[in-house]
Each structure stands twice: as C-alpha cells, then as structure tokens.
Amino acid sequence: MTAVDLRDTEEEAGFRAQAREWLRANVPDRPLPSGDTREGFARHLEWERRLYDERWAVVSWPREYGGREASLWEWLAFEEEYYAAGAPQRVTQNGIFLLAPTVFEFGTPEQRDRILPRMAAAEDLWCQGWSEPGAGSDLAAITSKAVRDERAGGWRLSGQKTWTTRGAFCTHLFGLFRTDPAAGRHRGLTYFLVPLDAPGVTVRGFGRLDGDEGFAEVFLADVFVPDSDVLGGVDEGWRVAMATTGSERGLTLRSPGRFLAAADRLVELARSRCAGPRLRERVVRSWMDAQAYQLFTQHQVSGMLAGDQPGARSSLNKLFWSELDIELHETARDLLGPESEVDDAWSRGFLFSLAGPIYAGTNEIQRNIVAERVLGLPRA
Ligand SMILES: Cc1cc2nc3c(=O)[nH]c(=O)nc-3n(C[C@H](O)[C@H](O)[C@H](O)COP(=O)(O)OP(=O)(O)OC[C@H]3O[C@@H](n4cnc5c(N)ncnc54)[C@H](O)[C@@H]3O)c2cc1C
C-alpha cells in the first residue's frame, strides 16, 4: 500500500501563505449584508471584483482568463484560507463553480474566450435554470422548449424556470430546453446560455423563508438565442447538464474549507459556554465530521489526479456536506439556547443549512443514485 503524504509541499505552502496574507489584509472587517438581497449582492460584487483584480477570484483557471493556474491541492488550500479568514460567501458561485467547469469541458474555444473572462471578472453573472414548476427531482420532465429558427441561425426559447438562485440580480442564465419533443425524456434536450436582457425574458424575484429576495422565476416567450450559445451540442444537453450537477454536488460548490472554518467557530463557541457532556460530545462529533469530510475530499482529489472521474460518487459528497452543515448549525443553536434567535450568523446559517438536503438534487434522490449507480443495488 502506498502512503499518502497530505502535508503541503513547499510550493503549496508558499501559495497558501500568500493567499493567507492577502486575505488577512483585505477581507472586510465586518460581515457584508446577505448576498441574497439586492444591496448585499452589490456589496459582494465589489468584493469579488477586488478578488479578481488581485487574481484571487478563480485561482485554478488559466492566466489568460484571470487565474493563477493553481493545482487542485492549491485550490483546496485557497478555499481553506478563504473561509478561515471569514471572507464573504461568493455570489458568483453558480458561474465560477458550476458553469465554468462545464464550459472548460464542453465549450468551443470561442465560447471559452467569450464567456470565462467576463465571468471571472464578475461582469457577467450567471444563474442556473434547471427547475420548472413541473420538473424538480424529475429533471427530465422539463417542458420549456427551443424551436429552431433556421433563417436567423439560432433557436426560439419558451417556457418557465423557477427557483433560480439570485436570478433576480444576475445577467445570464444557463439551462436545459427541449429541442426534440419526439425523443425520449433524457434525449432531445439542449443546454443553452441565455442573456437575461434578451427580448422576451421576464425575471420575477420572490422571497425566501429568511426574508431575502434572492430567488426568481424566469419566463421566456419566444426568446432568440444564436447557435453560438448552445453549449455542448444540440440534443446533447442531458450529458452536459450532468457534468454541471456533478460540480454542484461534488468537489467545487462546497469545499471542505467552509465546514472546517464552521467547526472551528463551533469549538470556540463551546469554549465560551458551559455545555453539558452530551452537547460537548456533539461538538466533538461535528468537528470530527468536518475533518472527515476534508479527508474524503482529499481522497477524491487524489483519485481525480490519477485519472479517476467521480461520476455518480459526487452524490456521496452532497449527502456528506449537506448533513454536516445541519449538524454543525443545530449543535451551535443548542449551545446558544434562546440566544440563537438573536445571533444573526448562526441563525441565518441554520436556516440556510435546512435547504442543503433540497438544492443540488434532494438527498432522497442522491441516496437513490448511490444505491443504484455506486453500490449497484437493484432499482427500487
Ligand atoms: C436554496 C435552494 C436553491 C435552489 N436553487 C436552484 C437554482 O438555482 N436553479 C434551479 O434550477 N433550481 C434550484 N433549486 C430547486 C431545486 O433543485 C429543487 O427544489 C429540487 O430539485 C427538488 O425539486 P422540487 O422542489 O420540485 O421537489 P420534488 O421533486 O417535487 O420532490 C418533493 C419530495 O419528493 C421526493 N422525491 C421526489 N422523487 C423521488 C424519488 N424518485 N425517490 C424518492 N424521493 C423522491 C424529494 O426528495 C422531495 O423530498 C433550489 C432549491 C433550493 C431549496
């Protein structure tokens, strides 16, 4: 058996130290307002544009798109330092962490050059258009359609998308549309990139449980999109979309740094309270689970660097991080007692953690995927 050395190499340690120094000097002193409010979103963008100016927005990307060509290990180190420094949540995450890996994999050189630099610079802001009123878990049930406009060299999109996170503040949407109604459910779908200021698009924001207005419904009425905004081939959309959902469930959306930092904050909170043995045990369990998630991710990254694609196993990540997030926040709430109602950071974090088992595909669906496609159990 080969021993794995998980310590930073000298180069990685140098990269980490540079990131830490910059973040310590630049992270806003006070938390920004929620990025799911209009005011907060604008403040977050200011921060993200600073990150971009200093080449910290997309560290693993090529230099010509604003990155530093950081390795996967360096990216993980950056994420750890980012959260440890208490830096703001990234409101551009649906672009840089979900769409971008798909553009790198399926985009033409023209699409990469056109889309990625503006995304990195937080000039184009992307939201995700999968869900529809009649299609959530069963994504292949989508009915929004795209009809070929041969003369104009493109497609005419119609239908309704819903639950688009921060859609009310974004400039572009990526989503699936039915291009061949006669084909089977998973076939005949195409992945489109849609500017939200195109004629025929109506975006209607609506509120969430915590009062923020970051969700939107997007209505499309005969919206023209040129052929150059098809990502990955006509009728190939399902395969392309699965690459995006793999990023959302797997490595990129919820890196371990986020949970390691939360676990450290939880330990600090426990030190400042007089917690009984059962609560102390839950604090220790949460901290250990955050470390375990880091080890799990490191295992996955080692595999990826050896040429292994996680595929359906990204559903395991999703189960791990979404349940861990609730565990951390529930423990904090119990430590705080009634005070948790007035502790904004933990209480908002708790409310948002409850959404974790729903977004990025519900945990029931992830368990089905793990059962059938990772463990090879018979279909239910
Ligand atoms: C915070 C948040 C952000 C989101 N952001 C976006 C976004 O940006 N873009 C976007 O397109 N969507 C987004 N969504 C929507 C999300 O993807 C859907 O809510 C999710 O896929 C579930 O779909 P649904 O709400 O229609 O529930 P349904 O599919 O109706 O499911 C209802 C319940 O039935 C269960 N269920 C359904 N089918 C099965 C099955 N076969 N086996 C077992 N159980 C089953 C589900 O697990 C769930 O508990 C977001 C959701 C949340 C909460």
Side-chain angles (χ1 to χ4, degrees), residues 94 98 127-139 161-167 174 208 215 248-249 352 354-366 368 380:
N94 282 356
L98 307 190
C127 60
Q128 174 165 248
W130 299 148
S131 305
E132 296 180 2
S137 298
D138 186 10
L139 185 58
K161 298 290 176 181
T162 192
W163 308 122
T164 49
T165 294
R166 289 185 280 277
F174 56 92
R208 298 189 320 196
F215 271 138
E248 186 174 19
R249 293 167 191 164
F352 189 70
L354 297 179
I358 304 172
Y359 66 86
T362 69
N363 283 13
E364 289 79 13
I365 298 296
Q366 305 318 305
N368 283 348

Side-chain angles (χ1 to χ4, degrees), residues 110-168:
E110 182 280 323
Q111 286 175 323
R112 284 187 221 145
D113 291 348
R114 173 163 53 94
I115 295 165
L116 295 171
R118 292 184 58 80
M119 183 194 289
E123 284 169 10
D124 290 346
L125 306 162
W126 291 87
C127 60
Q128 174 165 248
W130 299 148
S131 305
E132 296 180 2
S137 298
D138 186 10
L139 185 58
I142 66 168
T143 56
S144 290
K145 63 179 183 184
V147 176
R148 180 86 190 127
D149 184 337
E150 201 65 60
R151 208 161 43 89
W155 298 81
R156 300 223 162 250
L157 274 45
S158 306
Q160 181 188 347
K161 298 290 176 181
T162 192
W163 308 122
T164 49
T165 294
R166 289 185 280 277

Side-chain angles (χ1 to χ4, degrees), residues 2-28:
T2 328
V4 178
D5 186 351
L6 291 171
R7 287 170 300 189
D8 287 345
T9 61
E10 207 173 302
E11 210 180 336
E12 287 157 4
F15 179 86
R16 183 192 287 279
Q18 207 188 342
R20 180 178 296 172
E21 194 184 325
W22 189 85
L23 288 162
R24 288 224 172 126
N26 289 282
V27 165

